[in-house]
Amino acid sequence: MLKKLLTILLLCALPLTGAMGEIVSLSADGAPGLRYDYDRYATENGYEDPSISVTIYNGQMEETKYIYALVKIAQPNQLRTALAYKVNSSRTYKPALIAERNNAVLAVNGDFCNFDTKGYLVRQGVFYYNRAYKTMDVLIIDQNGDFHVITEPTVGAVEDWQRDHPDLQVVNSFDFGPAIIVDGERAHEDLNSAGNASVARGHLRFARTVLCQLEGELTYLALCCQGDQDGHNLGFTYEELYTCIRAIEHEQGITVRVAYNLDGGYSSAMVLHNEKINWPENGVNREVSDIVYFASAWQKE
């Protein structure tokens, strides 16, 4: 009970410290986040300055270990994306290196957007293309840091969503899926065999990465489960991933509003302060084309 209370308090408010400085607005483009003082603001299980709080937890469900982070930010533009190089480039780098170059406090792998030129792609406010198709759910993150999902989309469905939301700016979008939870409810009747090409192997167990928005202002959950490549874990099917998210909700006393599956397998990565922290005993560190990250907005005098 005490653990739940401490978590709720953490998500409700960012710390007040005696440090001199201010929370500033980050650039809306693809520029890196602010440099942060990890030595000063590191905690026993994460990082916490006046603009951001990151707390890391570990868990296990049956024969699979998982790691997740609860994140609270002060401003929406602290949730950002970064490319290894540029869109439509074959260049890739390890997630920790991309995170370091962009001053990411916490990062996870993205959707490997350069693997396929289909989909609907916007990164840091820059529109690249709308080639949405039904085999990939679309995740949209707007200027308020809110998540929106278009399940089994078409080009027309994306255009309709934009017309229906004239006041919302698409800051980042992702094409992978499936959406696991939308508006607090299960997104697909059968997650393992939904229409998405990305869940064609949903009934099999793999390492997975999920990004979630919680109920509560600017609060998020990032989750990575380990896979079977190390001989000690099984990985999750999409149904098991859903069960895991619901278990975390119960454990932490939180509510997941949207949960969206990103790339997985060897691409699955969680990085804290330039170090990959999921699956350390396996040593797998695949290069990727993009990351999603949380940056500090605390600027000391």
Side-chain angles (χ1 to χ4, degrees):
M1 180 63 69
L2 178 59
K3 181 179 180 182
K4 288 184 180 180
L5 178 59
L6 290 174
T7 300
I8 292 171
L9 291 174
L10 173 65
L11 292 175
C12 288
L14 288 164
L16 296 176
T17 73
M20 298 297 292
E22 63 177 336
I23 297 175
V24 300
S25 180
L26 302 183
S27 169
D29 59 18
L34 292 183
R35 293 186 180 275
Y36 58 94
D37 190 342
Y38 190 80
D39 291 336
R40 179 169 185 173
Y41 293 108
T43 65
E44 183 178 356
N45 55 347
Y47 175 89
E48 188 172 15
D49 72 27
S51 71
I52 182 172
S53 172
V54 176
T55 308
I56 305 296
Y57 298 89
N58 290 275
Q60 182 166 341
M61 192 175 80
E62 297 181 356
E63 297 181 62
T64 296
K65 295 179 181 178
Y66 58 89
I67 187 169
Y68 65 96
L70 293 179
V71 183
K72 168 74 175 176
I73 53 179
Q75 298 184 121
N77 55 22
Q78 292 175 253
L79 170 54
R80 309 175 69 80
T81 58
L83 300 168
Y85 183 52
K86 60 183 179 180
V87 170
N88 295 331
S89 168
S90 61
R91 192 175 298 183
T92 57
Y93 293 112
K94 292 180 179 179
L97 178 58
I98 307 175
E100 182 178 10
R101 289 179 172 178
N102 288 276
N103 299 323
V105 176
L106 180 85
V108 294
N109 62 283
D111 60 359
F112 223 122
C113 60
N114 288 343
F115 179 78
D116 194 338
T117 58
K118 296 179 181 178
Y120 170 61
L121 185 62
V122 180
R123 291 296 162 92
Q124 287 304 124
V126 179
F127 170 81
Y128 291 98
Y129 49 75
N130 181 9
R131 303 169 190 154
Y133 61 121
K134 289 187 176 181
T135 53
M136 294 286 184
D137 288 351
V138 167
L139 172 66
I140 291 171
I141 303 179
D142 68 23
Q143 78 273 23
N144 303 311
D146 291 329
F147 289 12
H148 310 269
V149 174
I150 306 174
T151 56
E152 300 185 4
T154 62
V155 170
V158 173
E159 293 172 346
D160 288 343
W161 183 91
Q162 292 172 320
R163 281 193 295 268
D164 292 341
H165 301 83
D167 297 330
L168 296 183
Q169 174 192 354
V170 180
V171 178
N172 287 292
S173 69
F174 302 87
D175 300 279
F176 207 93
I180 306 295
I181 296 171
V182 177
D183 294 329
E185 302 294 333
R186 183 188 176 104
H188 295 275
E189 183 176 349
D190 185 350
L191 290 165
N192 286 350
S193 60
N196 302 51
S198 58
V199 297
R201 295 187 295 173
H203 64 289
L204 300 178
R205 293 184 170 95
F206 284 98
R208 312 281 185 184
T209 298
V210 180
L211 186 65
C212 310
Q213 181 185 13
L214 308 180
E215 292 289 354
E217 186 177 4
L218 298 176
T219 54
Y220 304 91
L221 164 70
L223 164 70
C224 291
C225 74
Q226 298 185 186
D228 63 355
Q229 291 92 335
D230 63 0
H232 301 291
N233 291 269
L234 294 178
F236 286 155
T237 67
Y238 284 124
E239 293 290 352
E240 290 167 339
L241 191 58
Y242 172 80
T243 300
C244 180
I245 294 170
R246 292 306 194 194
I248 292 172
E249 283 185 309
H250 178 74
E251 175 185 346
Q252 296 291 351
I254 58 177
T255 299
V256 172
R257 193 180 75 79
V258 174
Y260 184 84
N261 180 72
L262 294 165
D263 196 9
Y266 285 120
S267 298
S268 181
M270 180 177 291
V271 176
L272 177 69
H273 186 49
N274 312 325
E275 181 180 353
K276 184 174 179 288
I277 60 173
N278 67 312
W279 220 347
E281 65 272 21
N282 179 262
V284 173
N285 200 357
R286 183 184 184 185
E287 294 185 348
V288 299
S289 68
D290 60 302
I291 63 169
V292 189
Y293 72 98
F294 296 90
S296 174
W298 178 244
Q299 183 169 278
K300 295 183 294 183
E301 286 187 354

